[in-house]
Amino acid sequence: MRVEVNGRAHEEEPRPGQCLRTYLRDRGWFGVKKGCDAGDCGACTVHVDGRPVHSCLYPAFRADGRAVTTVEGLAAPEGDLHPVQRRFLDAQGFQCGFCTAGFLMTTAALDEEQLADLPRAFKGNLCRCTGYRAIEDAVRGVRNVEEPAPGESVGRSLPAPAGPQVVTGTARYTFDIEVPGLLHMKLLRSPHAHARVLAVDTSAALRLPGVHAVFTHHDAPGRHFSTARHEHPEEDPADTRVLDDTVRHVGQRVAAVVADSEGIAEEACRRIEVTYEVLPAVLDPEEAMRPGAPVVHDKDAVTARISRPRDNVVGEAHGEIGDVAAGFAEADAVYEGTFRTQRAQHASLETHGAVAWIDEDGRLTVRTSSQTPFLTRRALCALFDLPLEEVRVVAGRVGGGFGGKQEMLVEDVVALAVLRLRRPVKLEYTRAEQFYGATTRHPFTIEIKAGARRDGTLTALRLRVVSNTGAYGNHGPAVMFHSVGESMAVYRAPHKKVDAYSVYTHTVPAGAFRGYGLGQVSFAVESAFDELARRLGLDPLEFKARNIIGPGEAMVTPGGHEEDLHIASYGLDQCLAVVRRARTEGAPPAPEGWLVGEGAALAMIATGPPGGHIADARAALLPDGGFDLAVGTAEFGNGTTTVHRQIAAGELGTTVDRIAVRQSDTDVVRHDTGAFASTGTVVAGKATLRASRALADLLFDFAAAHLRVPRADCRLTEEAVLHPGGRLPLKELYAAGRAVGVGFAADGHFGGTPRSVAFNAQWFKVAVDPDSGEIRILRSVHAADAGKVMNPMQCRGQVEGGVAQALGATLFENVRIDARGAVETAAFRRYRLPQYADVPRTEVHFMETADAIGPLGAKSMSESPFNPVAPALANALRDATGVRFTELPLTRDRVWLALRDAGRAVTPPAPAGRGRSRAGGR
C-alpha cells in the first residue's frame, strides 16, 4: 500500500474493510469528517486523483497508488488559500463548520456546467446550520464580511475568528486530537421497549482478545439523575441511571464494552448474552395516562421529582384566567380543532461523543461535544462523588447542537470507564445511534378552542396540550411549561385556560430542541387564529394585529406572570409592517394550474430561561498589548465567539483581531450555565461586556496615574492609550504595571435576570400542485426583532438557518416509530433532511429596536426564527387550497390526500421515489 495524501507518502496497510475516511483520520488528517458513514452527508468528501469521493464509502485499499487530497491540502504549499477557501471566508459560508470541508472539496471539483446547476451539484452534501444561502454566496464569490475598525466592531459584519481554521481543516472538533493509549467504547442496546434485565453474561465478550472491560448495571452508580442540563438540576426528574436493570425504550444502553478498537468492542457487544423479562409497553401518551396502562417509572414522586408516576405524568400545568366558559358565550365565532406535531431529530452533523482521560495531576478530563461543559462537570462530580477541582470538562469546537447537546448522554458512561481503568476512553455515536440513543423534538397533541367577537376581539382561549417525553423525562416538564408560555402570552384575551401534560411512553426520549416547545403550540395557536379570522370574514393578519400584546403590557398566561420577564423593547409592530409590505410586492409566478396562496404567523420568545442563567467572563491585557478574553459559553455555530470579540473590542477601543478568545473549558472561568435558551449573546455577552468595561477602567486608572494626566484625557485605541502628551503603547503600559506588581485583568458576571422578549414574523407565498401535492415556496420573508444587531451577517445566517431547519420539520422530517417502539428512520436516507434544492432564499429584515436589558441593546435570535415557520406555511397552504392542515409534516402524500378529499386533487401522485418535492425553486 502506497498512497500520497496532500503530497505526503503513506505506506501503512489499511485494516481489513477499512474505509478511506478512517484511514486518513488515523494518520492525522482530521479535516475529513464523519457525519453519516453512509455516503449521505458529504462531510467526508476528498479528492482521489482529482475526483471528489465520499471517503466513508471508498475502500482504503483502492487508494493504493493514487493521490488523495483532503481539505488540508487545498491550500498552496507556500500557504496561500485555494480560491474556493478564500471565497468561503469572504462569504462566511459556514456556521458550525462541520460540513464545510465537504462543501469545499465538492466545490473545488465543479466545472462550469456543474456550477450552473448547484442544486444537482450539492445533492450529496448536507448542511444543518446555514440554510445554504451563505454557501451559495461563497460559490458565487459574494463578499459578505466587513473590515474591522478600532472601537467600531459592534453592528458590523465581521468574520468568525475560527474561519481560517474551518476552511483549512485545522479547526479542532471533539475527536480531532490524538490521545496516546486510547481505548474505544461501544454500547450494547436493548431490543425491547420495556424489559427487566435478569442476567448479563459477559464471559464470552471478556475472552475476546483486546477487550479491557464490560460494564453493566452492577458497575454503575445507584444514583438517579436527569440527562438534561439546567442551572437548577432539581427542576428535572431524577429518573435515569448510567446503566439500568430496567430498559424503557428500544435502543437504551444495557452494557458498555471497552476495547483496543471499535471493531473489537462491537464484536464483544455481539457476544454478550442478556436474559430479559419482557414487560408490557405503552407507546401512545393518551393511552399512557389511562388507568391500568403499563407504568414507565415506578418511582417515588417526591424523590424522583415526577408529578404522578403511576399515571405516567412527569409534569403538568393547569390554570385559568377569568371564566373561559363565559368568554366563549360572549363570542360571535368559535374555532375548535386538534393539532399534532411529530418527532424530529436535531441531526447535528457531529454526533454525540466524548473522550476522557486522567491527566498528569490525577484529574478526570473530559473532552466532549456539549453545549454545557460546566453543568456536565457538576453532574459528573455529583454522580461519582468527586470534588469540582478534580474534574475538568472541555468542549472543543462543537459541530452543531440545536439543543440536542444540552444533555449528558455519553460523558457519564465514559467517565465510569476511565475512573475504573485509568486509561483514556472514547465513545462516539454512530448516525443510527443519534436516532435511537440520543433525543428528539417532543411530539405534541394540542386541542385548541378560541372565540372572538364580530370585530375581531378575542374573548377566550383554551388549550389542552399533551407532550410525549418518551422513556425519560429530562426536559419534559420544562418544555411543556414553556410551550404554553409565550405562545399564549403574546395575545390578549380576558379568559384563558390551559391543561398541559408531559407524559412518559416507552419510546426514544425527547429533549431540548430549538424553540423548546413554543414551535409546537404556536403551530396550533397561529393556525387556529387564522381560521377564526376567516370565519369572521376578517384578514387573518389584521385579526392578529388587533389582539397582540403591546409595549409595557404584562405577559400573563394561566400559569402566572413571570416577574423577571419584561418587554424591554418592542418590534412586533414593525415585524407586522414588514409582512404587510411583502404582501403588496408580489412573488415569482406559479406553474400553470397550481394553486397559489399566502400566509403569515408571528412568535414571541423569552431571551433566556426562568430561574437564572449564569455567565462569567474575564478580560486581560497581554504582554504584547493584545487582549485575552476567557468565556465559558460554547461555540457550535451560534456565533457567540464572534460577538464576544466584537463586544470586547468595542469597549477596549481595539480591533477584534487583537482579542484572543478562550472558551468552553471549566478551567477558564468560574462558571457558565451553557449555550442554550438563546443566552450566548444576552447573558454571556453581558458578562463579557462587564469584564471588558472593568478592564478598560483599570487601564484608564493606571495610565492616568502613571502619566500624571487626568483620566478624562485618556483614550484607548488599537495599540495604545492616547493622552495630551502623546501615546503610551499598551505593551509599555503592561510592562509599567508589572514593574510595580499591577496586573490588568477584570471579571464580569451576569445572572441572566431580568429577561426581555424577542419577536419574529414569517410570511410565505406558496404554490401547490393539485396533481401531486407538491408545495413550492415562491417567496419567503422573515422579520426579526433582535434589538441591536451585533453582527448583521451572522444574525442573518442564524435566521436563515432557523427557517431552513423549521421548513424541514414542516415539510418532511419525521422520526417514525414502529409498532414495537423501534425507530424506523435511523439513517439520513430514510430521514429526509433539507438539501440545497429544498430551501428557498429567505429575505431577512431586522427591526430597529434597542433592548433596555440586553448587552448594548441586543436580544436573542438563535431559536426564535424557528417558531413561526410551520404555522405560516400551513396558513399559506390553507389560503391556496381551502383546506386546514392540522398535522405535521406537510408531506406530498398528506397534502394530495386532503386535496382529494376536498375535491381539489386532479390525478394520483407519482409513486414514491419518482422525484422529490422542491420547496425553494432555486
Side-chain angles (χ1 to χ4, degrees):
M1 177 79 174
R2 179 181 175 83
V3 57
E4 183 181 279
V5 182
N6 300 328
R8 187 184 306 173
H10 292 274
E11 298 185 353
E12 301 88 347
E13 289 288 326
R15 299 188 299 274
Q18 186 174 27
C19 69
L20 183 59
R21 183 189 69 80
T22 57
Y23 182 86
L24 293 169
R25 288 186 60 83
D26 286 349
R27 278 138 197 89
W29 302 109
F30 294 129
V32 185
K33 296 292 187 277
K34 182 195 89 169
C36 64
D37 271 343
D40 295 331
C41 76
C44 68
T45 304
V46 301
H47 294 174
V48 177
D49 288 342
R51 299 186 62 184
V53 302
H54 287 177
S55 60
C56 69
L57 298 181
Y58 194 94
F61 76 87
R62 288 186 56 192
D64 187 20
R66 301 180 184 274
V68 175
T69 304
T70 72
V71 67
E72 294 97 328
L74 269 187
E78 58 273 16
D80 293 337
L81 292 180
H82 188 280
V84 170
Q85 291 171 312
R86 172 53 57 192
R87 291 201 295 271
F88 268 75
L89 266 185
D90 288 345
Q92 292 287 281
F94 51 85
Q95 284 182 24
C96 84
F98 199 79
C99 70
T100 304
F103 273 97
L104 285 163
M105 300 308 293
T106 298
T107 304
L110 298 179
D111 58 29
E112 290 301 319
E113 182 179 353
Q114 292 167 319
L115 285 169
D117 189 3
L118 290 182
R120 180 176 295 276
F122 284 146
K123 67 179 182 179
N125 291 81
L126 292 174
C127 176
R128 190 56 158 165
C129 295
T130 65
Y132 298 104
R133 187 272 313 163
I135 292 172
E136 181 178 357
D137 281 357
V139 175
R140 304 300 186 204
V142 177
R143 181 178 173 84
N144 293 321
V145 299
E146 298 180 65
E147 294 298 326
E152 299 178 3
S153 297
V154 171
R156 298 171 69 90
S157 294
L158 302 184
Q165 290 75 44
V166 168
V167 302
T168 57
T170 56
R172 291 295 176 247
Y173 295 81
T174 306
F175 296 115
D176 296 342
I177 58 171
E178 296 181 7
V179 181
L182 183 64
L183 301 178
H184 299 266
M185 177 180 285
K186 283 293 181 180
L187 300 173
L188 176 68
R189 297 183 178 274
S190 169
H192 305 294
H194 192 200
R196 187 172 292 113
V197 178
L198 301 180
V200 184
D201 185 351
T202 62
S203 57
L206 289 168
R207 286 195 298 269
L208 189 66
V211 172
H212 291 258
V214 179
F215 299 101
T216 70
H217 64 272
H218 296 294
D219 307 291
R223 290 188 177 93
H224 287 87
F225 61 97
S226 173
T227 64
R229 301 271 57 83
H230 286 114
E231 181 60 37
H232 306 289
E234 64 275 7
E235 296 175 356
D236 302 306
D239 57 8
T240 304
R241 284 186 64 194
V242 176
L243 294 165
D244 207 331
D245 58 354
T246 299
V247 291
R248 297 176 175 88
H249 70 94
V250 175
Q252 181 171 328
R253 59 196 191 193
V254 175
V257 175
V258 181
D260 287 335
S261 70
E262 289 187 357
I264 295 172
E266 287 175 348
E267 176 58 28
C269 284
R270 287 189 282 269
R271 298 189 183 194
I272 297 172
E273 296 183 8
V274 184
T275 303
Y276 295 99
E277 177 191 356
V278 179
L279 302 172
V282 60
L283 308 182
D284 179 83
E286 293 287 359
E287 292 180 10
M289 288 191 288
R290 291 174 186 152
V295 176
V296 180
H297 287 276
D298 188 8
K299 294 178 171 64
D300 177 73
V302 176
T303 57
R305 302 188 291 273
I306 299 171
S307 179
R308 289 185 282 132
R310 300 296 302 176
D311 297 321
N312 292 318
V313 176
V314 60
E316 56 191 316
H318 306 281
E320 184 171 5
I321 297 170
D323 184 338
V324 169
F328 287 124
E330 297 170 11
D332 293 308
V334 174
Y335 173 79
E336 191 167 6
T338 299
F339 292 79
R340 292 180 174 84
T341 67
Q342 80 284 27
R343 288 178 178 84
Q345 230 290 323
H346 305 80
S348 52
L349 288 194
E350 182 192 40
T351 60
H352 281 81
V355 55
W357 60 89
I358 304 296
D359 69 14
E360 60 273 12
D361 298 322
R363 292 194 307 167
L364 173 66
T365 300
V366 182
R367 182 179 172 91
T368 175
S369 182
S370 173
Q371 298 172 224
T372 58
F374 288 81
L375 299 187
T376 298
R377 176 181 67 165
R378 189 168 68 186
L380 291 174
C381 290
L383 195 55
F384 295 105
D385 293 318
L386 298 171
L388 285 176
E389 60 270 17
E390 289 188 14
V391 178
R392 178 188 182 191
V393 176
V394 181
R397 190 169 178 89
V398 177
F402 317 113
K405 294 175 181 175
Q406 191 194 338
E407 306 270 359
M408 186 172 71
L409 297 179
V410 293
E411 298 90 346
D412 55 338
V413 71
V414 171
L416 171 68
V418 172
L419 291 170
R420 295 289 183 88
L421 299 174
R422 316 300 288 185
R423 290 278 302 275
V425 175
K426 168 189 172 183
L427 171 60
E428 182 179 14
Y429 273 12
T430 64
R431 179 53 57 187
E433 285 179 301
Q434 284 293 114
F435 281 97
Y436 53 69
T439 60
T440 72
R441 188 175 181 84
H442 285 78
F444 268 63
T445 299
I446 307 105
E447 298 173 17
I448 185 169
K449 185 176 182 180
R453 295 189 181 93
R454 192 168 288 104
D455 65 355
T457 304
L458 278 171
T459 62
L461 174 62
R462 187 182 71 198
L463 292 178
R464 181 182 183 271
V465 173
V466 176
S467 167
N468 185 348
T469 197
Y472 291 92
N474 35 349
H475 291 269
V479 166
M480 179 268 300
F481 278 115
H482 191 239
S483 72
V484 294
E486 295 95 283
S487 61
M488 295 184 74
V490 71
Y491 288 105
R492 296 187 222 95
H495 309 287
K496 294 180 181 179
K497 183 178 181 181
V498 66
D499 293 289
Y501 307 87
S502 179
V503 184
Y504 284 125
T505 60
H506 290 106
T507 58
V508 59
F513 198 125
R514 200 174 202 162
Y516 213 67
L518 281 182
Q520 292 96 312
V521 175
S522 292
F523 170 57
V525 172
E526 294 293 304
S527 297
F529 285 177
D530 188 277
E531 200 64 32
L532 183 57
R534 293 176 183 277
R535 292 189 177 186
L536 289 166
L538 300 174
D539 178 89
L541 186 65
E542 300 312 318
F543 173 85
K544 293 173 184 179
R546 178 184 293 269
N547 292 287
I548 56 174
I549 195 170
E553 294 186 38
M555 290 167 284
V556 181
T557 71
H561 174 61
E562 296 179 50
E563 295 297 330
D564 73 332
L565 190 60
H566 309 279
I567 301 177
S569 64
Y570 187 83
L572 185 51
D573 52 350
Q574 296 180 49
C575 291
L576 297 183
V578 168
V579 172
R580 291 188 185 99
R581 187 166 61 249
R583 297 168 76 181
T584 67
E585 293 172 343
E592 185 177 353
W594 287 40
L595 310 173
V596 178
E598 64 175 64
L602 58 89
M604 178 176 74
I605 191 170
T607 59
H613 190 105
I614 294 170
D616 288 297
R618 166 164 279 216
L621 178 66
L622 298 174
D624 65 355
F627 296 93
D628 175 79
L629 178 62
V631 295
T633 191
E635 174 63 62
F636 54 99
N638 49 353
T640 54
T641 314
T642 314
V643 167
H644 289 180
R645 285 213 311 178
Q646 289 179 267
I647 292 172
E651 296 301 312
L652 295 167
T654 188
T655 53
V656 291
D657 57 305
R658 294 181 62 81
I659 296 178
V661 180
R662 293 179 296 132
Q663 64 189 130
S664 312
D665 185 339
T666 57
D667 276 4
V668 165
V669 293
R670 290 192 301 269
H671 184 72
D672 188 281
T673 298
F676 64 89
S678 302
T679 56
T681 293
V682 297
V683 177
K686 197 151 186 173
T688 291
L689 177 68
R690 290 175 172 176
S692 303
R693 282 182 175 171
L695 176 59
D697 285 338
L698 288 176
L699 297 176
F700 283 134
D701 288 342
F702 184 86
H706 178 71
L707 297 166
R708 299 182 180 178
V709 299
R711 173 183 158 134
D713 291 343
C714 297
R715 185 165 64 90
L716 277 170
T717 63
E718 186 175 4
E719 298 179 346
V721 175
L722 296 186
H723 57 94
R727 62 192 301 273
L728 175 64
L730 289 175
K731 58 184 177 181
E732 293 183 16
L733 179 66
Y734 179 92
R738 184 173 183 181
V740 295
V742 175
F744 300 104
D747 294 318
H749 172 87
F750 184 51
T753 184
R755 301 174 295 147
S756 185
V757 290
F759 299 99
N760 296 75
Q762 174 71 44
W763 176 82
F764 289 112
K765 189 160 190 178
V766 305
V768 184
D769 181 7
D771 286 347
S772 67
E774 178 183 344
I775 301 170
R776 183 170 299 177
I777 297 174
L778 303 177
R779 193 173 173 211
S780 171
V781 176
H782 193 97
D785 174 22
K788 171 66 176 177
V789 178
M790 313 298 273
N791 187 310
M793 169 187 64
Q794 183 174 274
C795 195
R796 176 188 175 192
Q798 289 292 308
V799 173
E800 292 170 331
V803 172
Q805 191 173 52
L807 279 173
T810 302
L811 290 170
F812 33 73
E813 292 186 44
N814 189 8
V815 177
R816 296 196 301 272
I817 305 292
D818 68 15
R820 60 188 191 89
V823 174
E824 293 183 316
T825 50
F828 280 159
R829 64 187 55 194
R830 302 198 68 190
Y831 179 82
R832 169 87 182 282
L833 283 179
Q835 294 182 317
Y836 180 95
D838 295 318
V839 181
R841 275 197 170 229
T842 293
E843 304 163 35
V844 178
H845 301 264
F846 293 117
M847 305 306 97
E848 296 183 1
T849 61
D851 200 69
I853 294 174
L856 304 176
K859 295 200 281 193
S860 63
M861 198 44 59
S862 57
E863 288 188 275
S864 54
F866 191 105
N867 296 328
V869 170
L873 193 66
N875 289 339
L877 188 57
R878 163 66 169 88
D879 191 50
T881 65
V883 178
R884 171 56 60 188
F885 289 84
T886 60
E887 185 171 354
L888 298 179
L890 302 172
T891 54
R892 287 176 56 185
D893 57 343
R894 184 170 286 163
V895 171
W896 185 85
L897 288 170
L899 294 179
R900 180 200 64 183
D901 293 344
R904 304 207 67 179
V906 180
T907 58
R914 291 192 186 175
R916 307 178 70 173
S917 172
R918 186 173 177 180
R922 282 180 179 269

